[in-house]
Amino acid sequence: MKRHWLLFTIFVVLGVWTLIPAKASKPCLIGYYAHCSFTPMSSIMCFALAVLFYWLGRRKAKGMQK
């Protein structure tokens, strides 16, 4: 497995994990108790990093084909 796919998968899983409801000491910014109290921002950051690694991996793969 290529490294960019591994990083893409990790950040997608982390982004989804931050959205899952769980017992926490305070509610997240959306209003429910989740794994991460900064849920909307942390999820967006994880998904943005996943897209970045996907894009960089595709760009590198296209460069190697030429």
Side-chain angles (χ1 to χ4, degrees), residues 3 17 23 65:
R3 189 179 323 175
W17 183 75
K23 292 182 180 181
Q65 289 178 351

PDB file of all heavy atoms in Angstrom, residues 3 17 23 65:
ATOM      1  N   ARG A   3       2.085   5.043   0.684  1.00  0.00           N
ATOM      2  CA  ARG A   3       2.037   5.834   1.900  1.00  0.00           C
ATOM      3  C   ARG A   3       0.896   6.844   1.884  1.00  0.00           C
ATOM      4  O   ARG A   3       0.246   7.080   2.898  1.00  0.00           O
ATOM      5  CB  ARG A   3       3.361   6.560   2.096  1.00  0.00           C
ATOM      6  CG  ARG A   3       3.466   7.231   3.425  1.00  0.00           C
ATOM      7  CD  ARG A   3       4.764   7.927   3.654  1.00  0.00           C
ATOM      8  NE  ARG A   3       5.862   7.189   3.078  1.00  0.00           N
ATOM      9  CZ  ARG A   3       7.105   7.620   3.048  1.00  0.00           C
ATOM     10  NH1 ARG A   3       7.411   8.775   3.553  1.00  0.00           N
ATOM     11  NH2 ARG A   3       8.050   6.906   2.502  1.00  0.00           N
ATOM     12  N   TRP A  17     -14.176   9.437  13.417  1.00  0.00           N
ATOM     13  CA  TRP A  17     -14.102   9.138  14.846  1.00  0.00           C
ATOM     14  C   TRP A  17     -14.450  10.363  15.690  1.00  0.00           C
ATOM     15  O   TRP A  17     -15.069  10.225  16.746  1.00  0.00           O
ATOM     16  CB  TRP A  17     -12.706   8.630  15.188  1.00  0.00           C
ATOM     17  CG  TRP A  17     -12.561   8.221  16.626  1.00  0.00           C
ATOM     18  CD1 TRP A  17     -13.051   7.097  17.213  1.00  0.00           C
ATOM     19  CD2 TRP A  17     -11.866   8.934  17.636  1.00  0.00           C
ATOM     20  NE1 TRP A  17     -12.700   7.078  18.531  1.00  0.00           N
ATOM     21  CE2 TRP A  17     -11.974   8.182  18.833  1.00  0.00           C
ATOM     22  CE3 TRP A  17     -11.166  10.129  17.656  1.00  0.00           C
ATOM     23  CZ2 TRP A  17     -11.408   8.608  20.019  1.00  0.00           C
ATOM     24  CZ3 TRP A  17     -10.603  10.546  18.837  1.00  0.00           C
ATOM     25  CH2 TRP A  17     -10.723   9.779  20.012  1.00  0.00           C
ATOM     26  N   LYS A  23     -19.164   9.485  25.784  1.00  0.00           N
ATOM     27  CA  LYS A  23     -19.199  10.162  27.080  1.00  0.00           C
ATOM     28  C   LYS A  23     -18.021  11.140  27.132  1.00  0.00           C
ATOM     29  O   LYS A  23     -16.887  10.768  26.863  1.00  0.00           O
ATOM     30  CB  LYS A  23     -19.091   9.157  28.210  1.00  0.00           C
ATOM     31  CG  LYS A  23     -20.301   8.271  28.319  1.00  0.00           C
ATOM     32  CD  LYS A  23     -20.176   7.329  29.480  1.00  0.00           C
ATOM     33  CE  LYS A  23     -21.409   6.455  29.566  1.00  0.00           C
ATOM     34  NZ  LYS A  23     -21.353   5.534  30.675  1.00  0.00           N
ATOM     35  N   GLN A  65       3.991   8.059 -14.118  1.00  0.00           N
ATOM     36  CA  GLN A  65       3.531   7.388 -15.331  1.00  0.00           C
ATOM     37  C   GLN A  65       4.151   7.985 -16.575  1.00  0.00           C
ATOM     38  O   GLN A  65       4.286   7.306 -17.572  1.00  0.00           O
ATOM     39  CB  GLN A  65       2.001   7.458 -15.434  1.00  0.00           C
ATOM     40  CG  GLN A  65       1.293   6.588 -14.444  1.00  0.00           C
ATOM     41  CD  GLN A  65      -0.225   6.738 -14.564  1.00  0.00           C
ATOM     42  OE1 GLN A  65      -0.713   7.595 -15.258  1.00  0.00           O
ATOM     43  NE2 GLN A  65      -0.931   5.883 -13.844  1.00  0.00           N
TER      44      GLN A  65
END
